[in-house]
Amino acid sequence: LNSLRANMVEINREHWIKDAEDCEKSGSIFTCQAIIRAVIGINVEEEDRKHSWMDDADSCAAHQAYECARAIYAHALSHFPSKKSIWLRAAYFEKNHGTRESLEALLQRAVAHCPKAEVLWLMGAKSKWLAGDVPAARSILALAFQANPNSEEIWLAAVKLESENNEFERARRLLQKARASAPTARVFMKSVKLEWCLGEIRNAEILLEEAVKHYPDFAKLWMMKGQIEEEAGKKDSAREAYNQGLKKCPQAIPLWLLHSRLEESSGQLTRARSILEKARLKNPQTDILWLEAVRIEMSAGLKNIANTLMAKALQECPNSGILWAEAIFMEARPQRKTKCVDALKKCEHNAHVLLAASKLFWCERKISKARDWFNRTVKIDPDFGDAWAYFYKFELTHGEEKHQTDIKQRCIAAEPHHGEQWCRVSKDIRNWRLKTEELLPLVARSLPVPT
């Protein structure tokens, strides 16, 4: 390079990076790393270095030149050793393209440079735990505590590690300490949840009483209070808990839904309707509240009222995927296709609408088309559990074993957390210990076949 410069040859950075990628493809790893180190800083302004290098690393990774990308991260970190964002990008890169050992070695260096970055500690502990090395995960979290003594995230990660490994007494003791040193609303919520899951309802109730005094505007505490009362068959106490909660947290949509469902299940349709109406007044343009109102009328067999409500709902929330998805299946079969086209025009990248389209093809027995659309849905939003569950059910009915295994593996890798049906099963207290691979068939089984 020096000789080329001396002969006035212009150094083209992009071409050299391309050469490095070619070296990697032919197996000359040290050469590719040396080229990267030599050219990566050429023609890059001082203030643009970090941004530019991250783009270079992404582009190498996209070309599957992983060693080049690794060399770029290493170079960037030698210049910016205390930049948490670069360590994090490098860690995600190793998680996706490296080995467990390379990820853990990188994270070890990362926390030495950025001891206050909780997320880096947590990634290290999670990696050890997933490999089955619980003592190592514990010791990483212990070091993390020393660096971040009052971190809610690290307390809760330590609690999760113990409860996932059946060390419930240890988890309890940790939560007790956490309530003494970092008594946040989430620490209280997790404490209540652990007691509830273990069937210690009295302990859960005592903790809840204390929690709502400290954090009266944390809606999840009121939701748990009401649900525990409902489980015990005390509908009046549950109603009282929801009412109190809504006074403090009128913006908490799930709380409104729980309250209206309690009335609906008690046969008090008029009350359920008026609760939802009040909720919509306080939270205008909230599609979930409209959806619930439509469903109440549908389940009461009042299809005309449901249709009128749906029309109003789509006027107020014209770009809501969940409303359009519901509207498609409210139509008579011949009109569904037209509705689906309208929905896709309004929200073509919405996972709910794509899922509805997939189910529509499934109803029409267009198997390969349905499979394509299911694939599009899970790609556009991998965190949407309902899509995975429907896709899995579809493959159980129409696919071969390799398709089913493939969906299961992809779902486990995506670790979905959202979706109405998914949360209904995953947040059920009885299923609190289940992992993604156990939840997927459970949710799939509970879904109706689209008709």
Side-chain angles (χ1 to χ4, degrees), residues 71-91:
I72 295 172
Y73 280 124
H75 183 82
L77 287 166
S78 67
H79 280 267
F80 302 109
S82 58
K83 271 271 183 253
K84 169 183 148 186
S85 59
I86 303 181
W87 283 110
L88 206 51
R89 299 263 298 250

Side-chain angles (χ1 to χ4, degrees), residues 125-329:
K126 187 172 185 183
S127 179
K128 289 285 187 202
W129 171 53
L130 290 175
D133 192 346
V134 176
R138 260 190 210 124
S139 66
I140 288 177
L141 289 172
L143 290 169
F145 271 126
Q146 287 168 17
N148 306 276
N150 287 338
S151 156
E152 174 196 81
E153 286 293 334
I154 292 169
W155 276 112
L156 294 178
V159 169
K160 185 174 183 185
L161 179 73
E162 300 305 352
S163 67
E164 293 274 353
N165 289 293
N166 299 335
E167 298 279 0
F168 300 124
E169 278 314 310
R170 283 179 98 138
R172 269 197 180 120
R173 281 202 300 278
L174 278 169
L175 282 165
Q176 215 167 345
K177 283 186 195 159
R179 291 197 300 277
S181 75
T184 63
R186 275 183 71 207
V187 165
F188 268 109
M189 180 185 83
K190 295 287 182 190
S191 308
V192 173
K193 188 160 184 201
L194 182 68
E195 298 298 341
W196 185 11
C197 292
L198 295 175
E200 301 289 348
I201 301 299
R202 190 71 206 108
N203 293 352
E205 289 176 338
I206 293 167
L207 279 169
L208 263 174
E209 286 307 323
E210 190 187 343
V212 292
K213 275 183 203 138
H214 288 295
Y215 298 101
D217 50 1
F218 190 65
K220 283 187 177 173
L221 295 170
W222 294 107
M223 286 160 65
M224 289 167 104
K225 203 169 161 43
Q227 285 170 307
I228 289 174
E229 298 292 8
E230 263 192 77
E231 252 185 26
K234 300 176 186 166
K235 290 202 170 177
D236 289 339
S237 311
R239 200 171 276 127
E240 178 59 22
Y242 294 146
N243 272 323
Q244 274 181 296
L246 285 167
K247 277 181 196 141
K248 306 279 185 198
C249 329
Q251 264 68 52
I253 307 303
L255 202 47
W256 286 106
L257 296 179
L258 281 170
H259 194 183
S260 93
R261 282 171 194 167
L262 171 67
E263 299 302 356
E264 190 188 359
S265 67
S266 316
Q268 305 284 347
L269 274 189
T270 316
R271 261 196 205 162
R273 282 188 191 111
S274 76
I275 287 166
L276 288 173
E277 222 161 291
K278 200 167 161 192
R280 293 200 300 276
L281 280 174
K282 291 193 190 264
N283 303 280
Q285 293 175 324
T286 306
D287 50 6
I288 298 176
L289 292 172
W290 280 105
L291 181 63
E292 189 71 14
V294 169
R295 284 183 178 167
I296 282 185
E297 304 306 342
M298 284 297 279
S299 57
L302 303 166
K303 196 151 189 242
N304 290 345
I305 300 178
N307 284 331
T308 313
L309 272 175
M310 179 56 90
K312 277 189 196 160
L314 285 170
Q315 262 176 336
E316 197 171 303
C317 317
N319 299 322
S320 159
I322 53 171
L323 287 176
W324 277 107
E326 189 84 4
I328 293 170
F329 282 91

Side-chain angles (χ1 to χ4, degrees), residues 56-72:
D56 293 330
D58 286 347
S59 125
C60 288
H63 298 153
Q64 295 185 341
Y66 300 135
E67 289 301 335
C68 290
R70 207 168 265 129
I72 295 172

Side-chain angles (χ1 to χ4, degrees), residues 67-133:
E67 289 301 335
C68 290
R70 207 168 265 129
I72 295 172
Y73 280 124
H75 183 82
L77 287 166
S78 67
H79 280 267
F80 302 109
S82 58
K83 271 271 183 253
K84 169 183 148 186
S85 59
I86 303 181
W87 283 110
L88 206 51
R89 299 263 298 250
Y92 281 122
F93 171 79
E94 290 300 343
K95 189 179 170 194
N96 294 328
H97 304 295
T99 59
R100 188 171 66 81
E101 288 73 20
S102 69
L103 170 64
E104 287 173 4
L106 179 96
L107 287 167
Q108 223 165 350
R109 296 197 337 263
V111 293
H113 286 289
C114 309
K116 292 279 178 248
E118 301 166 3
V119 62
L120 295 168
W121 289 106
L122 297 175
M123 279 177 86
K126 187 172 185 183
S127 179
K128 289 285 187 202
W129 171 53
L130 290 175
D133 192 346

